[in-house]
Amino acid sequence: MPQDPYFREENGRFVPLEVARGYWSRDMLHGRPLIGIIGRELERVHGDPAFIPARFNVDLHRTPRFAPVEVETRLLRSGGRLRLAEAVLTIDGEEYARATCQFLRVGEAPPGRIWAPAPWDVPSPHAIAPRPDPKRRGLSEMRPIAGRMGAYGPRQVWTREYFDLVEGQTMTPFARVALAADFASPWTHIGDAGVHYMNTDIVVHLHRLPRGEWLGFEVTGHDASQGIAVGHCRLYDADGAIGFISATALTNQRR
């Protein structure tokens, strides 16, 4: 389904296209493709089919200008069961974001049961009527299960990308998660007076990669005081829960 790209790759740089403009200001990059391109490069350079990108952490420590970006990666640790890689995103030679990804080797599940909150039991995305969005303002197709953006109360939703990450290149399952991960911040931190928190990081934890185009987000926690918010979502595909995404955020106003 995805079409039109966030970036065009030119001479080792990723040139942002119009859809990549930010929510907070038109002069900045949206966090969604920024996080997505970092995840894509970490997996492209350091990924391995025998390993799962089990933890992906991105620090968004500077507001990114709407300009071409470069992503440099390096391997910090290469072991038999664990690999650790780092990425730095720069614009005109200046650092704007830094990330690490921990790749863990797939193995057999141990015996025994471990208690955890039950995953959701909801209709599949195909059983929910599409919501009209002819101008694709939400960046991804959304099929609400419970609650909605701007409403006070529990929230669950299925999402599917409208746009490709890089022109002419198919997204991998992990790139799809990395691209969607930024959505966890507004979905977790929005209130009945709108979005007033801008995330400063994203942390993705996965025990397996998603299958198919649809990802489900369920708000599982939000706490805030003194203009600082922390929150997390449980992440799903059509076959069940696949992990969690958390976001730390600062109060902010749209320009």
Side-chain angles (χ1 to χ4, degrees):
M1 176 184 174
Q3 54 188 304
D4 302 330
Y6 287 102
F7 292 107
R8 176 181 298 123
E9 189 170 6
E10 295 181 2
N11 300 318
R13 298 195 306 170
F14 298 97
V15 179
L17 303 181
E18 188 62 25
V19 70
R21 290 191 183 277
Y23 168 83
W24 299 102
S25 168
R26 286 187 56 79
D27 296 329
M28 66 180 286
L29 278 167
H30 200 290
R32 190 183 190 94
L34 185 149
I35 295 167
I37 203 66
I38 294 172
R40 172 192 183 271
E41 288 299 282
L42 280 165
E43 181 190 35
R44 184 184 68 82
V45 179
H46 304 291
D48 185 303
F51 287 74
I52 294 291
R55 191 203 66 212
F56 174 49
N57 176 86
V58 184
D59 287 306
L60 306 165
H61 55 75
R62 189 174 180 181
T63 302
R65 295 184 288 110
F66 190 83
V69 306
E70 295 181 70
V71 181
E72 295 289 336
T73 73
R74 66 184 180 121
L75 192 62
L76 301 177
R77 161 75 177 168
S78 181
R81 298 203 300 166
L82 183 150
R83 293 181 179 177
L84 183 64
E86 179 184 62
V88 175
L89 182 141
T90 60
I91 299 174
D92 294 330
E94 298 184 353
E95 182 178 324
Y96 281 77
R98 183 175 290 263
T100 58
C101 190
Q102 187 181 103
F103 298 88
L104 300 181
R105 182 176 287 277
V106 174
E108 294 295 325
R113 297 183 300 164
I114 300 174
W115 182 88
W120 71 15
D121 182 10
V122 302
S124 77
H126 306 291
I128 301 172
R131 189 178 68 173
D133 185 14
K135 295 185 178 180
R136 299 183 292 184
R137 290 174 175 165
L139 300 183
S140 64
E141 180 181 358
M142 300 176 67
R143 297 195 180 181
I145 302 163
R148 58 177 176 81
M149 294 289 274
Y152 181 81
R155 288 188 291 277
Q156 300 171 321
V157 68
W158 288 111
T159 69
R160 179 169 64 170
E161 297 301 323
Y162 281 142
F163 306 103
D164 280 322
L165 183 55
V166 179
E167 185 178 59
Q169 299 182 22
T170 302
M171 283 187 287
T172 65
F174 178 64
R176 191 178 302 280
V177 170
L179 178 59
D182 187 65
F183 176 68
S185 181
W187 190 239
T188 301
H189 299 313
I190 193 171
D192 55 10
V195 179
H196 297 289
Y197 286 103
M198 180 170 68
N199 55 308
T200 58
D201 79 351
I202 282 290
V203 184
V204 179
H205 288 98
L206 297 175
H207 59 84
R208 68 170 173 85
L209 293 172
R211 307 178 186 113
E213 294 183 317
W214 289 97
L215 292 173
F217 287 78
E218 177 182 34
V219 174
T220 49
H222 165 84
D223 283 305
S225 66
Q226 304 175 97
I228 299 170
V230 294
H232 46 83
C233 292
R234 201 169 190 177
L235 187 66
Y236 297 83
D237 67 6
D239 294 332
I242 64 172
F244 296 90
I245 303 178
S246 64
T248 309
L250 281 168
T251 184
N252 196 60
Q253 298 300 317
R254 196 172 187 180
R255 301 194 303 275

